[in-house]
Amino acid sequence: MAQRNDELRDNAPSGPIETAWDRHRFDMKLVNPANKRKFDVIVVGTGLAGGAAAATLGELGYNVKAFCYQDSPRRAHSIAAQGGINAAKNYQGDGDSIYRLFYDTVKGGDYRSRERNVYRLAQISVDIIDQCAAQGVPFAREYGGTLTNRSFGGAQVSRTFYARGQTGQQLLLGAYQALERQINAGTVKMYPRTEMLELIVVDGRARGIVTRDMVTGKVEAHLAHAVILGTGGYGNVFYLSTNAKGCNVTASWRAHRKGAFFANPCYTQIHPTCIPVSGDHQSKLTLMSESLRNDGRVWVPKKKEDTGKKPSQIPEADRDYYLERKYPAFGNLVPRDIASRNAKDVCDEGRGVGPGGLGVYLDFADAIERLGKKAIEERYGNLFEMYERITDEDPYEVPMRIYPAVHYTMGGLWVDYNLMSNLPGLFVIGEANFSDHGANRLGASALMQGLADGYFVVPYTLGNYLWSERTDQKPVAADHPEVKKAVADVEARTTKLLSINGKRSVDSFHRELGKLMWDKCGMARNEAGLKEALARIPALRAEFWENLRVPGTGAELNQSLEKAGRVADFLELAELFAKDALHRRESAGGHFREESQTPEGEALRDDENFSYVAAWEFNGVGEEPTLHKEQLDFEYVKLTQRSYK
Amino acid sequence: MRLTLNVWRQKGPSDKGGFEKHSLSDVSPDSSFLEMLDVLNEQLIEQGKEPIAFDHDCREGICGTCGMVINGMAHGPQQLTTTCQLHMRKFKDGDEIWIEPWRAKAFPVLKDLVVDRGSFDRIIQAGGYISVNTGSAPDANEILVPKTEADRAMDAAACIGCGACVAACPNASAMLFTSAKIAHLGLVPQGQPERYSRARNMVAQMDAEGFGGCTNHGECEAVCPKGITLENIARMNRDFVKGMFIARQEPKAQA
C-alpha cells in the first residue's frame, strides 16, 4: 500500500494538559452574536451528539438544518444505551478525579487514543451532568435528593450516573427536547425521514449535502457553511449486531469517498452478554447489561457430549467455570474483550450450548441461593423479564444463555482536536468519529463522548472555523457544477440500484457479508482469514451490483431501496475494515490478532511499530487506499501491558 | 407454524387501501413478529412483488418506532410489549392474524403500515421541555430532587412515543402521551417555572393536531408497552385547569 510521509496533525494545543482546553477556547475566534444567524450549518444525525449539537447551535443563533433517517429525532439509537454515563464528579468522595477518568480512559483504550482529546472529555464530563440535570433528566437519586452513582464495567470508583436501565433514553430525550425547543424557536429546521446520500465539496471545503426524502423520494441539495456528521457507528457491517436496523455507514462513507480520512476501522467492540442467535430468521441481537456478570457465573460443560443435556443434568464436577478458572483475580468480571474471546474459544472447542452451539451459560443459581430470589429480582428483574420474553426461558430456573455480539465501533472518520476532519468544514462527532476511545471503549463512556462533542466541543470549534474562514467562503450557487454533479450522482446511483433486476434481495447480501465479517474479522483475526475476507468481499460486491433485486420505484417510500444504498456502502467499508485489520499486526483493545498475544493469551500491543492512528484515504472502489499516520505520543500516561490474572 | 395473514396494504396517503391475504408456513415460534414479517417480505421480493412497508428500528422495545394493530390490539396480545418484542410463540399453529396500521386522523398513513407521527413532535415543540441553554446549568447537586418524586418522574418519562395509546383509543386521544411529558417535567423542581404554561400550550397543540379528548376508556393504559398510567392524565388536567386560571396570555399552537 502507498504510504505518505506528511503526517497528520492533531492541531491540539501544547503545554500543560490541564489548561489546554481553556487556553484553546481563549485562542479560538468568536462569532459575534449578531453575525451567527448569517451562518448556515447542517447537522446530520440527531442522536446524543447530533441532537445536542443542533440544539446548542440553535440556541447560539446559528441557522441550523438537522437531518435524520428516523421519523423523529427522539428515536436515534443512542436511546438504547442502558447502563449509564460516566462523569468525574467525585460525588461519592471515593477518589475519583478528572485526571483519574482521563487515565482510565486512555488505559482502557489500550493506549491508542489521543491524550489531549481524552483529557478534555474527562473535564467536560462534569458539565454534562449539570446540563442534563437542569433539563430534568430523571437520574437516580439518594433519599436526600442528591444524585447517586454506581461502579460500572469494573471501574474502581463509582462515577456512573444512571436513570434505571434507560440512561440512553433519558439523555436522548433531554437532547431531543432541547432540539424541539429550538425547532419551535425557528433556529433549527428539522428534516426527519431524510437520508444524506452525498457530501458536497467545493474548493476543498465541505459545503453541503444531497439528501433523499424517504417518503417522496425527492433528491435535493442543501448548502451551508459547514457540515456536522453525528451519524453513529458502522457495527451493522456485521449484519447481526446490537445496533438498530437502520444504523448505517452511508453518511461517513460518502464523506470518505469525497476525501475525508477513515481512521482505525478495525477497532470494534464486542459485547460479551448478548442473547444468542435463535435461528436463520434472526434480524438483530439484543444486549443484556453487563452488570449481570456481577452475580452470574459463566460456564460450559467440560465434555462436548454434555452440551445437548439440560444444564440441571450436568453435575457440578462436569462444569467448567472457565473465567473463574483462568482469571482467578477477576473471575467473571474480566473486561469485555476477554470475556468475549473466551466464550468464542470454548464454543470453537465444541462446548457451546444452545442452538448451533453458540452460547455459554450465565448462571444465577448460586446468587439466588446466597441472596434470595427477591434480591436478584430487585437487581435484575427487568433484564430477566426481557430475556424471558425473547427466549421463553425463565432465568430464575434455567441458566441464561449468552453470546458476544458486535456493539460499538471505535473507528470512524478521522478528526483533529477541533473535531474537524481533514476536509475543512466537515466536523464529525459522537460514535461517527474515531477520537476518544482508542482501541476499546469503557462502559458508560459512549453517552459521555456523544454529549461532550455535541453540547460542549463542536459549538466552540465550529465558530472558530466559521469566523477564520469567512472571507474565503464564497457563496455556493445552487447550480454550481459540484452541486449539480453530487445530485446527479445520487440520482444515477438510485436508478442503477433499481435497474439491476437480479435475483437476490438486499438482505441476502447483507447476511452473507455479515457472516463473512464475523467469521474473518470478528473477535479474533489472523492473516490467513483476513486475506480470505479481502478476496471474498470484492466478489460479493461485484455480485451485488449484478444480481440485486430492488422492487418498487425511487419516487416513493421504498425500504428495499434504502437498505440497498446502505449495504452498497457496507460492501465498500468492509474491504477497508479488513485491510486495516490486516495491516495492524499487533493486538490492541477490540482488535485481537491471533499472531500477537502474550503466553497467557492476552492482547499484545506493539508500541514500537503501531503507536499511531491509521487514517485511510480513498482512492477509488477496489483501489489501494493511502495510509496516513498520526503518531500518538504519551506525555502523561505510562504504557503498560494489561493483565487480569 | 402455519399462519394466514391479512395485512393492510395502502400505496400512499390518498390511496383507499385494503387487506391482502398471505399464507406463511414454517414460521419459527422463536422469531419475533417483525422477523416473521421479514420472512414474508423476502418471499414477496422473490415472487417479484413489493414487500410490506412497516416502521421499525431498534427491535429491542425502546425506540418506539414500530407499532401495528394486531388482531385489533395495538402492539398485539402481550401486555407491556412492543411489536418488535412480541414473539410468534404467543400465537398458535394455524392462526389467522389481522395486521393494520395505527389509525387516527392525526397519524396519516404514509404507506402500508407506516404512519406519520409528526404530530407528537409538534406537541413536544409546544412546550415539552425545560428551557435551559447549554452551559447555563448550576452544579447538578444544587438541585435536590426527592427520590420519590424522581422515581415518579422516571415512571412517566419512560414513554417511548410509539403512539399505541392513540391507536387504541376510541377517540384517538393523545392524552396519555401528552400527559406523560407534562407529568415528568412537572414533578421535578427544574420543571416548575414553566409547569402551567407547558400544560396549556401542549394541550392546545394536541387539540390543534386533531386528536380527540379522553373519556376514560382506559384502552391507552391497557396497551401501553411501558406501563404509563392514567394517573398522568389526571395530573395533566389539574395543571391545565390551574394554568387556565393563572394565565396571562392565550396558549400558542402551530397551525
Side-chain angles (χ1 to χ4, degrees):
Chain A
M1 71 201 69
Q3 242 187 64
R4 285 196 191 159
N5 292 325
D6 53 334
E7 280 198 355
L8 281 171
R9 297 209 30 215
D10 63 14
N11 294 321
S14 52
I17 200 167
E18 292 83 355
T19 56
W21 177 233
D22 269 358
R23 286 180 284 115
H24 192 63
R25 277 194 294 177
F26 183 74
D27 291 339
M28 280 190 290
K29 302 262 192 315
L30 297 173
V31 183
N32 176 306
N35 282 329
K36 288 200 175 85
R37 65 187 157 77
K38 296 175 189 163
F39 289 102
D40 302 325
V41 182
I42 283 171
V43 181
V44 188
T46 50
L48 284 181
T56 305
L57 293 168
E59 288 162 9
L60 288 170
Y62 292 106
N63 203 1
V64 182
K65 282 183 178 181
F67 298 82
C68 70
Y69 76 75
Q70 298 89 349
D71 73 324
S72 162
R74 68 177 294 145
R75 309 204 196 281
H77 198 54
S78 309
I79 206 160
Q82 299 168 357
I85 177 166
N86 287 329
K89 280 285 196 186
N90 194 29
Y91 279 162
Q92 306 306 319
D94 59 356
D96 199 12
S97 62
I98 287 167
Y99 202 85
R100 188 178 295 279
L101 176 56
F102 152 69
Y103 207 96
D104 286 356
T105 305
V106 174
K107 183 182 176 198
D110 225 357
Y111 312 100
R112 290 292 174 264
S113 48
R114 200 186 279 151
E115 276 187 336
R116 275 156 207 270
N117 277 59
V118 178
Y119 193 89
R120 175 178 64 189
L121 176 66
Q123 278 177 310
I124 288 173
S125 69
V126 300
D127 301 327
I128 296 171
I129 300 304
D130 297 343
Q131 181 63 28
C132 296
Q135 289 171 343
V137 169
F139 284 121
R141 301 268 167 177
E142 301 290 349
Y143 281 99
T146 54
L147 290 153
T148 189
N149 295 104
R150 61 184 169 199
S151 160
F152 196 81
Q156 287 173 305
V157 291
S158 291
R159 62 160 74 104
T160 304
F161 294 78
Y162 61 99
R164 290 199 190 140
Q166 292 125 277
T167 317
Q169 179 197 28
Q170 294 309 315
L171 295 175
L172 181 67
L173 292 181
Y176 159 74
Q177 288 161 201
L179 175 59
E180 294 296 327
R181 176 172 160 246
Q182 291 311 305
I183 294 169
N184 189 45
T187 59
V188 179
K189 179 155 172 51
M190 184 69 218
Y191 296 80
R193 288 197 200 269
T194 307
E195 191 163 33
M196 164 181 163
L197 294 177
E198 199 55 86
L199 181 74
I200 297 171
V201 181
V202 178
D203 298 334
R205 292 182 172 80
R207 294 303 302 270
I209 61 173
V210 180
T211 57
R212 179 175 178 275
D213 180 319
M214 292 156 73
V215 178
T216 64
K218 190 178 176 204
V219 173
E220 211 178 352
H222 298 269
L223 299 171
H225 295 92
V227 176
I228 301 173
L229 300 185
T231 47
Y234 49 87
N236 273 351
V237 69
F238 290 88
Y239 185 69
L240 289 180
S241 81
T242 66
N243 284 187
K245 291 296 286 176
C247 292
N248 65 81
V249 77
T250 289
S252 294
W253 194 255
R254 295 283 118 196
H256 175 59
R257 289 178 58 121
K258 283 286 174 82
F261 297 166
F262 209 110
N264 302 332
C266 77
Y267 290 159
T268 320
Q269 184 164 82
I270 309 229
H271 200 288
T273 51
C274 299
I275 301 176
V277 172
S278 69
D280 293 336
H281 55 262
Q282 194 87 27
S283 61
K284 81 150 270 160
L285 296 168
T286 303
L287 178 99
M288 310 269 289
S289 169
E290 71 183 328
S291 62
L292 288 169
R293 287 196 284 142
N294 288 334
D295 286 304
R297 296 180 72 194
V298 177
W299 65 276
V300 289
K302 278 186 182 162
K303 293 176 289 200
K304 276 188 206 176
E305 308 83 86
D306 286 352
T307 54
K309 286 185 187 169
K310 282 187 183 160
S312 56
Q313 292 170 334
I314 303 170
E316 203 58 32
D318 289 339
R319 299 177 176 190
D320 180 11
Y321 295 89
Y322 57 89
L323 290 177
E324 296 171 23
R325 171 171 60 80
K326 289 169 75 175
Y327 308 95
F330 280 76
N332 296 299
L333 291 172
V334 290
R336 289 176 177 179
D337 57 325
I338 295 178
S340 297
R341 240 176 5 252
N342 276 280
K344 176 187 183 329
D345 289 347
V346 293
C347 292
D348 287 351
E349 288 164 21
R351 296 194 287 142
V353 295
L358 291 175
V360 299
Y361 288 125
L362 180 64
D363 198 336
F364 290 87
D366 285 359
I368 291 171
E369 197 177 306
R370 191 175 71 245
L371 305 162
K373 188 178 167 182
K374 194 160 180 292
I376 294 299
E377 207 176 312
E378 273 170 20
R379 279 183 205 175
Y380 309 113
N382 58 339
L383 293 168
F384 278 34
E385 237 176 74
M386 181 169 82
Y387 180 84
E388 188 173 357
R389 197 172 295 145
I390 293 172
T391 63
D392 204 27
E393 289 176 357
D394 177 4
Y396 294 103
E397 300 296 327
V398 191
M400 275 185 182
R401 286 174 296 108
I402 55 165
Y403 200 65
V406 173
H407 174 53
Y408 186 90
T409 50
M410 280 73 70
L413 291 178
W414 183 87
V415 289
D416 66 4
Y417 186 74
N418 296 314
L419 304 183
M420 189 164 84
S421 75
N422 58 299
L423 270 184
L426 179 70
F427 291 78
V428 191
I429 57 179
E431 191 180 350
N433 72 26
F434 88 102
S435 68
D436 299 356
H437 306 297
N440 183 39
R441 179 178 63 72
L442 292 180
S445 283
L447 303 181
M448 171 175 70
Q449 185 226 335
L451 290 180
D453 290 1
Y455 282 134
F456 295 105
V457 181
V458 93
Y460 288 99
T461 58
L462 178 85
N464 179 54
Y465 169 78
L466 292 174
W467 198 247
S468 318
E469 300 273 315
R470 70 190 183 285
T471 47
D472 300 332
Q473 288 225 1
K474 296 178 186 68
V476 177
D479 62 350
H480 189 283
E482 286 298 330
V483 179
K484 278 161 75 177
K485 184 177 178 305
V487 171
D489 285 350
V490 169
E491 280 166 348
R493 201 170 131 88
T494 305
T495 310
K496 169 76 178 153
L497 287 167
L498 287 162
S499 63
I500 302 168
N501 230 341
K503 291 202 165 59
R504 289 182 62 180
S505 70
V506 186
D507 278 0
S508 81
F509 282 104
H510 198 176
R511 274 176 205 275
E512 187 176 339
L513 174 68
K515 183 158 188 328
L516 174 63
M517 293 300 286
W518 181 245
D519 289 345
K520 306 296 170 192
C521 310
M523 276 183 276
R525 300 145 182 189
N526 60 53
E527 187 175 336
L530 291 166
K531 284 186 169 160
E532 191 190 327
L534 282 170
R536 284 169 58 189
I537 294 165
L540 185 63
R541 193 168 59 222
E543 197 201 333
F544 175 90
W545 286 105
E546 280 159 19
N547 198 20
L548 175 72
R549 175 184 290 180
V550 181
T553 70
E556 61 179 332
L557 195 160
N558 186 338
Q559 293 174 324
S560 300
L561 176 64
E562 294 160 16
K563 284 194 276 189
R566 295 169 191 166
V567 173
D569 289 333
F570 279 133
L571 281 162
E572 291 177 16
L573 162 79
E575 192 174 359
L576 184 68
F577 188 123
K579 268 194 182 31
D580 184 48
L582 180 65
H583 116 281
R584 192 169 282 275
R585 292 186 313 276
E586 65 162 355
S587 295
H591 170 61
F592 187 78
R593 278 290 295 265
E594 288 171 355
E595 299 92 335
S596 182
Q597 48 183 309
T598 66
E600 293 90 33
E602 291 281 357
L604 180 65
R605 286 194 324 274
D606 176 356
D607 292 330
E608 201 171 317
N609 293 304
F610 289 99
S611 187
Y612 62 79
V613 176
W616 301 90
E617 180 183 356
F618 182 80
N619 289 324
V621 179
E623 300 294 321
E624 271 307 308
T626 307
L627 174 64
H628 301 261
K629 294 179 181 176
E630 179 200 329
Q631 284 299 331
L632 294 169
D633 300 312
F634 295 91
E635 295 171 61
Y636 293 87
V637 177
K638 191 171 158 286
L639 276 61
T640 55
Q641 167 68 40
R642 288 195 315 179
S643 175
Y644 292 94
K645 285 281 166 182
Chain B
M1 296 168 77
R2 278 189 71 85
L3 298 169
T4 305
L5 305 170
N6 300 284
V7 188
W8 186 262
R9 302 302 301 262
Q10 185 173 336
K11 282 199 163 309
S14 54
D15 181 29
K16 207 166 139 248
F19 285 101
E20 191 177 88
K21 206 186 230 358
H22 295 280
S23 46
L24 199 57
S25 48
D26 294 329
V27 176
S28 163
D30 288 328
S31 65
S32 71
F33 198 85
L34 299 186
E35 286 169 344
M36 181 274 292
L37 288 178
D38 289 343
V39 172
L40 175 61
N41 273 345
E42 285 293 289
Q43 288 184 13
L44 291 174
I45 294 171
E46 214 162 279
Q47 294 160 11
K49 295 180 187 152
E50 264 206 61
I52 299 154
F54 61 90
D55 260 334
H56 65 99
D57 206 17
C58 78
R59 296 203 177 191
E60 48 188 273
I62 192 74
C63 73
T65 310
C66 71
M68 38 193 92
V69 175
I70 301 166
N71 290 342
M73 285 170 283
H75 286 309
Q78 195 176 2
Q79 288 221 315
L80 297 173
T81 304
T82 55
T83 304
C84 65
Q85 293 286 284
L86 174 66
H87 281 68
M88 294 315 293
R89 64 179 78 93
K90 297 289 167 190
F91 297 87
K92 289 193 300 292
D93 189 31
D95 270 0
E96 183 163 11
I97 303 174
W98 297 80
I99 308 170
E100 298 169 76
W102 288 169
R103 293 190 193 278
K105 186 176 143 201
F107 287 167
V109 173
L110 296 175
K111 187 177 182 178
D112 297 342
L113 304 171
V114 178
V115 300
D116 179 357
R117 287 169 291 200
S119 46
F120 269 16
D121 287 331
R122 290 188 292 274
I123 292 174
I124 299 296
Q125 282 161 30
Y129 43 75
I130 288 167
S131 299
V132 52
N133 284 356
T134 304
S136 54
D139 184 89
N141 262 351
E142 281 179 23
I143 314 161
L144 297 178
V145 184
K147 186 178 185 307
T148 46
E149 301 298 291
D151 285 348
R152 287 169 71 197
M154 181 63 218
D155 289 341
C159 168
I160 57 175
C162 64
C165 45
V166 173
C169 177
N171 308 331
S173 169
M175 281 200 170
L176 195 68
F177 167 80
T178 309
S179 69
K181 189 46 64 190
I182 288 172
H184 160 211
L185 299 176
L187 275 160
V188 293
Q190 303 91 310
Q192 297 312 307
E194 296 165 290
R195 180 170 169 183
Y196 301 105
S197 60
R198 178 185 304 121
R200 292 177 64 229
N201 290 332
M202 289 178 74
V203 169
Q205 188 63 39
M206 188 180 80
D207 291 342
E209 296 290 346
F211 290 106
C214 173
T215 47
N216 295 322
H217 284 264
E219 293 285 339
C220 53
E221 188 185 65
V223 299
C224 177
K226 297 296 152 183
I228 307 295
T229 61
L230 287 176
E231 187 196 350
N232 293 297
I233 298 183
R235 175 172 279 277
M236 173 176 83
N237 287 338
R238 283 201 299 276
D239 283 0
F240 175 75
V241 170
K242 186 164 178 193
M244 294 304 275
F245 278 111
I246 61 174
R248 293 289 175 97
Q249 58 191 36
E250 285 302 303
K252 279 179 291 216
Q254 304 176 46

